[in-house]
Amino acid sequence: MARIIGVANQKGGVGKTTTAINLAASLAVLEYKTLLVDADPQANSTSGVGFDLQNVQQSIYDCMVGDAKARDTILKTEIPNLDLIPSHIDLVGAELEMINYPNRENVIKNILDDLRDDYDFIVIDCSPSLGLITVNALVAADSVVIPVQAEFFALEGLGKLLNTIKIVQNRLNTSLAIEGILMTMYDVRLRLCNQIVSEVRKHFEDMVFDTLIHRNSRLSEAPSVGKPVILYDADSKGAVNYLNLAKEILQKNNLTKIKEAERTLNLEDEQ
């Protein structure tokens, strides 16, 4: 049964899509079968793992407002264990098309419920807004990762997002948890960055991940060649940071022991 993790922040430019792509890729590299769901009309996660948007035949949009089955939209990426449900620019209009749907907040949940037994993790790249598609993703998710830029306006808008999450928890998805707040674009040389990280940790305490995502040129370059950073440069700071994030999430959810037990059983079967 897959754990579904939404990656959400309505504020643009905080590393949301970068986090969705590279967290999913890191989990896949750690041998967890992972599905990346691009629920952002900009479709940057789709192009960021190597797919040309012109060649995408069916997307999450076709599942949400059409009759397409989720399994028919899944694309295999070049990383073993990492699959993708792509997005499309048409998703911009989905919120209007879904406005009169009964249970319109549950559309993505219903789509992904059929796939939960096929994966260990499903990572949803949410759209940069607090609209119906993001609410759909939060209703479908077990937990949410919130990327926050280590800059002056870091906390701007975070209150709104946390309020939306609270509303979803109270009314639509009582089991939704905050996986953690992730500090991104961190520059160890800047005193301001250190002050902001310290302030966020003081304010939100255990909700903040230990892992910091450093500013890294390789992390910025990787999407331009359609690769997660771990494929583009496995030794880069960005690749190491996101692997550490994946490991922190696994440890937090006591999933490392389960994987070790599976490996032991497989070894015994081979013998």
Side-chain angles (χ1 to χ4, degrees):
M1 178 75 81
R3 181 172 184 79
I4 302 180
I5 300 175
V7 182
N9 193 330
Q10 81 278 16
K11 197 171 183 293
V14 298
K16 177 185 62 63
T17 295
T18 301
T19 295
I21 291 170
N22 291 297
L23 172 59
S26 296
L27 289 165
V29 165
L30 292 168
E31 297 181 17
Y32 290 85
K33 195 153 174 45
T34 305
L35 176 67
L36 175 60
V37 178
D38 191 350
D40 182 347
Q42 295 173 90
N44 290 334
S45 278
T46 302
S47 57
V49 292
F51 291 97
D52 183 347
L53 300 179
Q54 306 298 322
N55 298 330
V56 170
Q57 302 295 316
Q58 289 185 306
S59 68
I60 186 87
Y61 170 80
D62 299 289
C63 300
M64 292 174 77
V65 301
D67 298 323
K69 294 277 184 288
R71 274 193 178 79
D72 297 336
T73 67
I74 292 172
L75 302 171
K76 298 256 176 223
T77 74
E78 58 181 314
I79 293 186
N81 296 319
L82 181 61
D83 294 346
L84 170 79
I85 292 182
S87 184
H88 193 273
I89 189 64
D90 289 348
L91 197 58
V92 167
E95 293 194 359
L96 282 174
E97 294 179 66
M98 288 161 57
I99 205 77
N100 293 319
Y101 279 25
N103 297 321
R104 60 181 182 265
E105 297 90 358
N106 290 285
V107 174
I108 290 180
K109 182 181 188 300
N110 295 336
I111 290 165
L112 297 182
D113 274 350
D114 289 342
L115 303 172
R116 284 189 86 136
D117 290 336
D118 299 346
Y119 293 93
D120 298 310
F121 285 95
I122 297 175
V123 178
I124 308 174
D125 181 16
C126 301
S127 58
S129 72
L130 293 180
L132 184 56
I133 293 173
T134 298
V135 170
N136 256 267
L138 294 176
V139 171
D142 297 307
S143 63
V144 57
V145 170
I146 305 168
V148 173
Q149 197 172 352
E151 291 194 353
F152 184 69
F153 294 112
L155 299 179
E156 190 184 74
L158 189 53
K160 276 185 187 170
L161 177 60
L162 292 173
N163 196 43
T164 300
I165 289 168
K166 195 170 281 186
I167 291 167
V168 171
Q169 286 170 327
N170 289 338
R171 298 183 190 172
L172 299 164
N173 181 2
T174 52
S175 60
L176 178 66
I178 293 175
E179 194 74 53
I181 294 169
L182 177 68
M183 301 306 298
T184 63
M185 302 181 197
Y186 173 73
D187 190 335
V188 71
R189 298 165 300 179
L190 299 180
R191 186 192 298 171
L192 180 64
C193 273
N194 292 304
Q195 286 174 343
I196 287 161
V197 169
S198 173
E199 193 67 29
V200 171
R201 285 201 165 130
K202 189 169 84 178
H203 195 73
F204 293 102
E205 300 174 339
D206 292 344
M207 281 169 64
V208 185
F209 284 111
D210 292 334
T211 303
L212 297 169
I213 308 300
H214 292 72
R215 275 196 184 278
N216 180 246
S217 59
R218 295 309 213 190
L219 210 46
S220 309
E221 292 163 11
S224 67
V225 293
K227 291 178 187 288
V229 71
I230 203 154
L231 269 191
Y232 183 63
D233 185 349
D235 296 324
S236 67
K237 192 88 169 170
V240 172
N241 288 165
Y242 276 109
L243 264 177
N244 287 339
L245 174 65
K247 288 172 184 172
E248 189 174 344
I249 288 172
L250 292 168
Q251 284 166 355
K252 190 176 175 184
N253 292 289
N254 294 317
L255 292 168
T256 45
K257 290 171 189 167
I258 295 167
K259 201 69 180 173
E260 281 163 15
E262 282 176 6
R263 282 201 194 107
T264 306
L265 284 170
N266 289 338
L267 283 170
E268 285 171 0
D269 289 345
E270 284 169 16
Q271 288 167 2

